[in-house]
Amino acid sequence: MAQKTVLVTGGAGYIGSHVIIELIQDGFDIVVLDNLVNASMESIRRVEKIAGKKIPTYSVDLLDKNAVDDVFKKHKISSVIHLAGLKAVGESCELPLLYYKTNVGGTTNLLEVMEANGVFNIVFSSSATVYGLPQFLPLTEDHPVGGCTNPYGKTKFMIEQILSDLCTSNKKWNVAVLRYFNPVGAHKSGTIGEDPSGVPNNLMPFMGQVAVGRRASLTVYGSDYDTPDGTGVRDYIHVVDLALGHVAAVHKLNEQCGLKVLFLQNGQNKSPTVYNLGTGQGVSVLDMVKAFEKASGKKIPYELAERRLGDIASCYGDPSLAAKELNWTATRGLDEMCEDLWRWQSQNPQGYKGAEGSSQ
Ligand code: UFG
């Protein structure tokens, strides 16, 4: 079967590990490339257990172009899902060069290697952060982009621009850009999930660590926003739904690839297709606290505090384009997101580090 092997960069991370499981269940072969800076080999071992097969995994940094090229020489890769990158907003303000080098430099290396090896299908992990301060809600894909306030967000925007220029330069490229809203939850097995290093920046991993007693209480950043209860509103999406969005995007690229052979012989170019991956529902911080308390049976002590620098009041997307063109819709609700997060967190209170025999 052609179009079968997918290289997943950042495959050992939170989103990557869930994407791999869904791809394998859909019949794809997987190759993982990950520098393991913010991820653990233990997640791959657990994915292998769930999938019942070995996954070729390379501990390679995208900045090491020769090593990336070696992986392309060893495997007949048909598509790439590019998730590797640094993602902490605050850290990106302190270490902008590291973010530009890792995210933008890593991506241009990957794209060069792909081109040299004749691989032109790529799904890129972007973020709703590229929309900046929303001018209207829900956010649609044609909302203006680029008004990002931090280097992390700017790298996502720049990579989107690079991919767009590539498509203009060479009609062979097939690009899908996925703009994620807020991924939460974990795999049903409770064996893989989000395992941030250090103090979690994001709401749900922090809440999970409060529930298992690793942190005393949650700080709610801002209670005076123009939202129903004054706390920030976001579009939380179950990570398994998000993963299934990637599977749908790979199918779409394969389809486009075939169509191009038929119709795009005359120098026409195709821009990247861009999709919001969210539920379309805005949920507040206090709604999340309530839902997680219900799912876990634990009280989440919290204090209301000042707004966090750079945060916006509300951010939620319109996912109807993905429904129409990818035939994909998020189906898992808030209760399921919280129950699955709790299963992972309660079974792995110290994340992957607590695992027996873990080398990471
Ligand atoms: N929040 C708290 N306490 C915390 C952490 C978060 O109250 O300890 C609040 C935030 O103020 C916000 C909401 O919970 O209102 C969600 O915050 P997260 O940090 O979980 O997520 P963000 O929406 O700020 O950021 C996420 C991704 C970014 C991405 C951004 C925009 O983490 O990578 O969405 O798409 F850039």
Side-chain angles (χ1 to χ4, degrees), residues 7-21 30-48 55-60 81-85 87 191-196 239 344 352 359-360:
L7 174 77
V8 182
T9 75
Y14 170 46
I15 294 169
S17 51
H18 290 84
V19 166
I20 296 168
I21 291 176
I30 304 298
V31 176
V32 168
L33 193 155
D34 201 305
N35 68 4
L36 300 174
V37 164
N38 277 321
S40 153
M41 263 314 282
E42 179 62 16
S43 71
I44 296 292
R45 285 192 277 273
R46 294 184 183 194
V47 169
E48 287 176 334
I55 299 164
T57 301
Y58 296 89
S59 171
V60 161
I81 295 186
H82 177 34
L83 309 168
K87 62 170 188 125
T191 60
I192 59 165
E194 189 168 12
D195 182 22
V239 66
W344 152 253
Y352 293 117
S359 59
Q360 298 290 324

Coordinates of all heavy atoms in Angstrom, one line a residue, residues 7-21 30-48 55-60 81-85 87 191-196 239 344 352 359-360:
L7 N 6.1 9.7 9.2 CA 7.1 10.1 10.2 C 6.4 11.2 11.1 O 5.9 12.1 10.6 CB 8.3 10.8 9.5 CG 9.3 11.4 10.4 CD1 10.2 10.3 11.0 CD2 10.2 12.4 9.7
V8 N 6.5 10.9 12.4 CA 6.0 11.8 13.4 C 7.1 12.5 14.2 O 7.8 11.8 14.9 CB 5.0 11.1 14.4 CG1 4.4 12.2 15.3 CG2 3.9 10.4 13.6
T9 N 7.4 13.8 13.9 CA 8.4 14.5 14.7 C 7.8 14.9 16.0 O 6.6 15.3 16.0 CB 9.0 15.7 14.0 OG1 8.0 16.8 14.0 CG2 9.3 15.4 12.5
G10 N 8.5 14.8 17.1 CA 7.9 15.0 18.4 C 6.9 13.9 18.8 O 6.0 14.2 19.6
G11 N 7.2 12.8 18.3 CA 6.2 11.7 18.5 C 6.2 11.1 19.9 O 5.3 10.4 20.3
A12 N 7.2 11.5 20.7 CA 7.2 11.0 22.1 C 6.5 11.9 23.1 O 6.3 11.6 24.3 CB 8.7 10.7 22.6
G13 N 6.1 13.0 22.6 CA 5.4 14.0 23.4 C 3.9 13.7 23.7 O 3.4 12.7 23.3
Y14 N 3.3 14.6 24.4 CA 1.9 14.5 24.8 C 1.0 14.3 23.6 O 0.3 13.2 23.5 CB 1.5 15.7 25.6 CG 0.0 15.8 25.9 CD1 -0.7 14.7 26.4 CD2 -0.6 17.0 25.7 CE1 -2.1 14.9 26.7 CE2 -2.0 17.2 26.1 CZ -2.7 16.1 26.5 OH -4.0 16.3 26.8
I15 N 1.0 15.2 22.7 CA 0.1 15.0 21.5 C 0.6 13.9 20.6 O -0.1 13.1 20.1 CB 0.0 16.4 20.8 CG1 -0.7 17.4 21.7 CG2 -0.8 16.3 19.4 CD1 -0.7 18.8 21.3
G16 N 2.0 13.9 20.4 CA 2.5 12.9 19.5 C 2.2 11.5 19.8 O 1.8 10.7 19.0
S17 N 2.3 11.1 21.1 CA 2.0 9.8 21.5 C 0.5 9.4 21.2 O 0.3 8.3 20.8 CB 2.3 9.6 23.0 OG 1.7 10.6 23.8
H18 N -0.4 10.3 21.4 CA -1.8 10.0 21.1 C -2.0 10.0 19.6 O -2.8 9.2 19.1 CB -2.7 11.1 21.7 CG -2.7 11.0 23.2 ND1 -1.8 11.5 24.0 CD2 -3.6 10.3 24.0 CE1 -2.1 11.2 25.3 NE2 -3.2 10.5 25.3
V19 N -1.3 10.8 18.8 CA -1.4 10.8 17.4 C -1.0 9.4 16.8 O -1.6 8.8 16.0 CB -0.6 11.9 16.7 CG1 -0.4 11.7 15.2 CG2 -1.3 13.3 17.0
I20 N 0.2 8.9 17.3 CA 0.7 7.7 16.9 C -0.3 6.5 17.1 O -0.5 5.7 16.1 CB 2.0 7.3 17.6 CG1 3.1 8.3 17.3 CG2 2.5 5.9 17.2 CD1 4.2 8.2 18.3
I21 N -0.9 6.5 18.2 CA -1.9 5.4 18.5 C -3.0 5.4 17.5 O -3.3 4.4 16.9 CB -2.5 5.5 19.9 CG1 -1.4 5.2 20.9 CG2 -3.6 4.6 20.1 CD1 -1.8 5.4 22.4
I30 N 4.5 3.7 11.4 CA 5.0 4.9 12.0 C 6.5 4.9 12.2 O 7.0 3.8 12.6 CB 4.3 5.1 13.4 CG1 2.8 5.1 13.3 CG2 4.8 6.4 14.1 CD1 2.2 6.2 12.5
V31 N 7.1 6.0 12.0 CA 8.5 6.2 12.4 C 8.5 7.5 13.3 O 7.8 8.5 12.9 CB 9.4 6.5 11.2 CG1 10.8 6.8 11.6 CG2 9.4 5.2 10.3
V32 N 9.1 7.4 14.4 CA 9.2 8.6 15.3 C 10.6 9.2 15.4 O 11.6 8.5 15.5 CB 8.7 8.1 16.8 CG1 9.0 9.2 17.8 CG2 7.3 7.8 16.8
L33 N 10.6 10.5 15.4 CA 11.8 11.2 15.6 C 11.6 12.2 16.7 O 10.6 13.0 16.7 CB 12.0 11.9 14.2 CG 13.4 12.6 13.9 CD1 13.5 12.6 12.4 CD2 13.4 14.0 14.5
D34 N 12.4 12.2 17.7 CA 12.2 13.1 18.9 C 13.5 13.3 19.6 O 14.3 12.3 19.8 CB 11.2 12.4 19.9 CG 10.5 13.4 20.8 OD1 11.2 14.1 21.5 OD2 9.3 13.4 20.8
N35 N 13.8 14.5 20.0 CA 15.1 14.8 20.7 C 15.0 14.5 22.2 O 16.0 14.6 22.9 CB 15.6 16.2 20.4 CG 14.8 17.2 21.0 OD1 13.8 17.0 21.7 ND2 15.2 18.5 20.7
L36 N 13.8 14.2 22.6 CA 13.5 13.8 24.0 C 13.9 14.9 25.0 O 14.1 14.6 26.2 CB 14.3 12.5 24.4 CG 13.9 11.3 23.5 CD1 14.7 10.0 23.8 CD2 12.4 10.9 23.7
V37 N 13.9 16.1 24.6 CA 14.2 17.2 25.5 C 13.0 17.4 26.4 O 13.2 17.6 27.6 CB 14.5 18.5 24.7 CG1 14.4 19.8 25.6 CG2 15.9 18.5 24.1
N38 N 11.8 17.4 25.9 CA 10.6 17.5 26.8 C 9.7 16.3 26.7 O 8.5 16.4 26.8 CB 9.8 18.7 26.3 CG 10.3 20.0 26.9 OD1 10.7 20.0 28.1 ND2 10.3 21.1 26.2
A39 N 10.3 15.1 26.5 CA 9.5 13.9 26.3 C 10.3 12.7 26.8 O 11.5 12.9 27.1 CB 9.2 13.7 24.8
S40 N 9.6 11.6 26.9 CA 10.2 10.4 27.5 C 10.1 9.2 26.6 O 9.0 9.0 26.0 CB 9.6 10.2 28.9 OG 9.6 8.9 29.2
M41 N 11.1 8.4 26.6 CA 11.0 7.1 25.8 C 9.9 6.2 26.4 O 9.4 5.3 25.7 CB 12.3 6.4 25.8 CG 13.2 6.6 24.6 SD 12.3 6.5 23.0 CE 12.2 4.7 22.8
E42 N 9.7 6.4 27.7 CA 8.6 5.6 28.4 C 7.3 5.8 27.6 O 6.5 4.8 27.6 CB 8.5 6.0 29.8 CG 7.5 5.2 30.6 CD 7.8 3.7 30.7 OE1 8.9 3.3 30.4 OE2 6.8 3.0 31.1
S43 N 7.0 6.9 27.1 CA 5.7 7.1 26.4 C 5.7 6.2 25.2 O 4.6 5.6 24.9 CB 5.4 8.6 26.1 OG 6.3 9.0 25.0
I44 N 6.8 6.1 24.5 CA 6.8 5.2 23.3 C 6.7 3.8 23.7 O 5.9 3.0 23.1 CB 8.1 5.4 22.5 CG1 8.2 6.9 22.0 CG2 8.3 4.4 21.4 CD1 7.2 7.2 20.9
R45 N 7.3 3.4 24.8 CA 7.2 2.0 25.3 C 5.7 1.7 25.6 O 5.2 0.6 25.2 CB 8.0 1.8 26.5 CG 9.5 1.7 26.2 CD 10.3 1.1 27.4 NE 10.6 2.2 28.3 CZ 11.7 3.0 28.3 NH1 12.6 2.8 27.3 NH2 12.0 3.9 29.2
R46 N 5.1 2.6 26.2 CA 3.6 2.4 26.5 C 2.7 2.4 25.2 O 1.8 1.6 25.2 CB 3.2 3.4 27.5 CG 3.9 3.3 28.8 CD 3.4 4.2 29.8 NE 4.1 4.1 31.1 CZ 3.7 4.6 32.2 NH1 2.6 5.3 32.3 NH2 4.5 4.5 33.3
V47 N 3.1 3.3 24.3 CA 2.3 3.3 23.0 C 2.5 1.9 22.3 O 1.5 1.3 21.8 CB 2.7 4.4 22.1 CG1 2.2 4.3 20.7 CG2 2.4 5.8 22.7
E48 N 3.7 1.4 22.4 CA 4.0 0.1 21.7 C 3.2 -1.0 22.4 O 2.7 -1.9 21.7 CB 5.5 -0.2 21.9 CG 6.3 0.6 20.9 CD 7.8 0.4 21.1 OE1 8.3 0.0 22.2 OE2 8.6 0.6 20.1
I55 N 7.7 0.4 17.5 CA 7.7 1.6 16.6 C 9.2 2.1 16.5 O 9.8 2.4 17.5 CB 6.9 2.7 17.3 CG1 5.4 2.2 17.5 CG2 6.9 4.0 16.5 CD1 4.6 3.0 18.5
P56 N 9.7 2.1 15.3 CA 11.0 2.6 15.1 C 11.1 4.1 15.6 O 10.4 4.9 15.1 CB 11.2 2.6 13.5 CG 10.1 1.7 13.0 CD 9.0 1.8 14.0
T57 N 12.0 4.3 16.5 CA 12.1 5.6 17.2 C 13.5 6.1 17.2 O 14.4 5.3 17.6 CB 11.6 5.5 18.6 OG1 10.2 5.1 18.6 CG2 11.6 6.9 19.3
Y58 N 13.7 7.3 16.7 CA 15.1 7.9 16.6 C 15.2 9.1 17.5 O 14.4 10.0 17.4 CB 15.4 8.3 15.2 CG 15.4 7.1 14.2 CD1 14.2 6.7 13.6 CD2 16.5 6.3 14.0 CE1 14.2 5.5 12.8 CE2 16.5 5.2 13.2 CZ 15.3 4.8 12.6 OH 15.3 3.7 11.8
S59 N 16.2 9.0 18.4 CA 16.5 10.1 19.3 C 17.4 11.1 18.5 O 18.6 11.1 18.6 CB 17.2 9.6 20.5 OG 17.6 10.7 21.3
V60 N 16.7 12.0 17.7 CA 17.4 12.8 16.8 C 16.8 14.2 16.9 O 15.6 14.4 17.1 CB 17.2 12.3 15.3 CG1 17.4 13.4 14.3 CG2 18.1 11.1 15.1
I81 N 4.1 14.2 9.9 CA 3.3 15.0 10.9 C 4.4 15.7 11.8 O 5.1 15.0 12.5 CB 2.3 14.2 11.7 CG1 1.3 13.6 10.8 CG2 1.7 15.0 12.8 CD1 0.2 12.8 11.5
H82 N 4.4 17.0 11.7 CA 5.5 17.8 12.3 C 5.0 18.4 13.6 O 4.3 19.5 13.6 CB 6.0 18.8 11.4 CG 7.1 19.7 11.9 ND1 8.0 19.2 12.9 CD2 7.4 21.0 11.7 CE1 8.8 20.2 13.2 NE2 8.5 21.3 12.5
L83 N 5.3 17.8 14.7 CA 4.9 18.3 16.0 C 6.0 18.8 16.9 O 5.8 19.4 17.9 CB 4.2 17.1 16.8 CG 3.1 16.3 16.1 CD1 2.7 15.1 17.0 CD2 1.8 17.2 16.0
A84 N 7.3 18.5 16.5 CA 8.4 18.8 17.3 C 8.6 20.3 17.5 O 8.4 21.0 16.5 CB 9.7 18.2 16.7
G85 N 8.9 20.7 18.7 CA 9.1 22.1 18.9 C 9.0 22.5 20.4 O 8.5 21.7 21.2
K87 N 7.4 24.9 23.4 CA 6.0 25.4 23.4 C 5.7 26.2 24.7 O 4.5 26.5 24.9 CB 5.0 24.3 23.2 CG 5.1 23.3 24.3 CD 4.0 22.3 24.2 CE 4.0 21.4 25.4 NZ 2.8 21.4 26.2
T191 N -2.6 5.1 30.5 CA -1.1 4.8 30.6 C -0.3 5.9 29.9 O 0.9 6.0 30.0 CB -0.8 3.4 29.9 OG1 -1.2 3.4 28.6 CG2 -1.4 2.3 30.7
I192 N -0.9 6.7 29.0 CA -0.2 7.8 28.4 C -1.0 9.1 28.7 O -2.2 9.1 28.7 CB 0.2 7.7 26.9 CG1 -1.1 7.5 26.1 CG2 1.1 6.5 26.7 CD1 -0.8 7.7 24.6
G193 N -0.2 10.2 28.8 CA -0.9 11.5 29.1 C 0.1 12.6 29.1 O 1.3 12.4 28.7
E194 N -0.3 13.7 29.6 CA 0.6 14.9 29.6 C 1.5 14.9 30.8 O 1.0 14.7 31.9 CB -0.3 16.2 29.6 CG 0.6 17.4 29.3 CD -0.3 18.7 29.0 OE1 -1.5 18.6 29.2 OE2 0.3 19.7 28.6
D195 N 2.8 15.1 30.6 CA 3.8 15.0 31.7 C 4.8 16.1 31.6 O 5.9 15.9 31.2 CB 4.5 13.6 31.6 CG 5.5 13.4 32.7 OD1 5.3 14.0 33.7 OD2 6.4 12.6 32.5
P196 N 4.3 17.3 31.9 CA 5.2 18.5 31.7 C 6.4 18.4 32.7 O 6.3 17.9 33.8 CB 4.3 19.7 32.1 CG 3.2 19.1 32.9 CD 3.0 17.7 32.5
V239 N -7.5 15.3 23.7 CA -6.3 15.0 22.9 C -6.6 13.8 21.9 O -6.0 13.8 20.9 CB -5.1 14.7 23.9 CG1 -5.3 13.5 24.7 CG2 -3.8 14.7 23.1
W344 N -5.3 9.0 34.0 CA -3.8 9.1 33.8 C -3.1 9.6 35.0 O -2.1 9.1 35.5 CB -3.6 10.0 32.6 CG -2.3 10.7 32.6 CD1 -2.1 12.1 32.8 CD2 -1.0 10.2 32.4 NE1 -0.7 12.4 32.7 CE2 0.0 11.2 32.5 CE3 -0.5 8.9 32.1 CZ2 1.4 11.0 32.3 CZ3 0.9 8.7 32.0 CH2 1.8 9.8 32.1
Y352 N 5.7 10.0 33.9 CA 6.5 8.9 33.4 C 7.7 8.6 34.3 O 8.2 7.5 34.4 CB 7.0 9.1 32.0 CG 5.9 9.1 31.0 CD1 5.6 10.3 30.2 CD2 5.1 8.0 30.8 CE1 4.6 10.3 29.3 CE2 4.1 8.0 29.8 CZ 3.8 9.2 29.1 OH 2.8 9.2 28.2
S359 N 13.9 5.1 31.7 CA 15.2 5.7 31.6 C 15.2 7.2 31.5 O 16.2 7.9 31.5 CB 15.9 5.2 30.4 OG 15.2 5.5 29.2
Q360 N 14.0 7.8 31.5 CA 13.8 9.2 31.3 C 13.3 9.9 32.6 O 12.4 9.3 33.1 CB 12.9 9.6 30.1 CG 13.4 9.1 28.8 CD 14.6 9.8 28.4 OE1 14.7 11.0 28.6 NE2 15.6 9.2 27.8

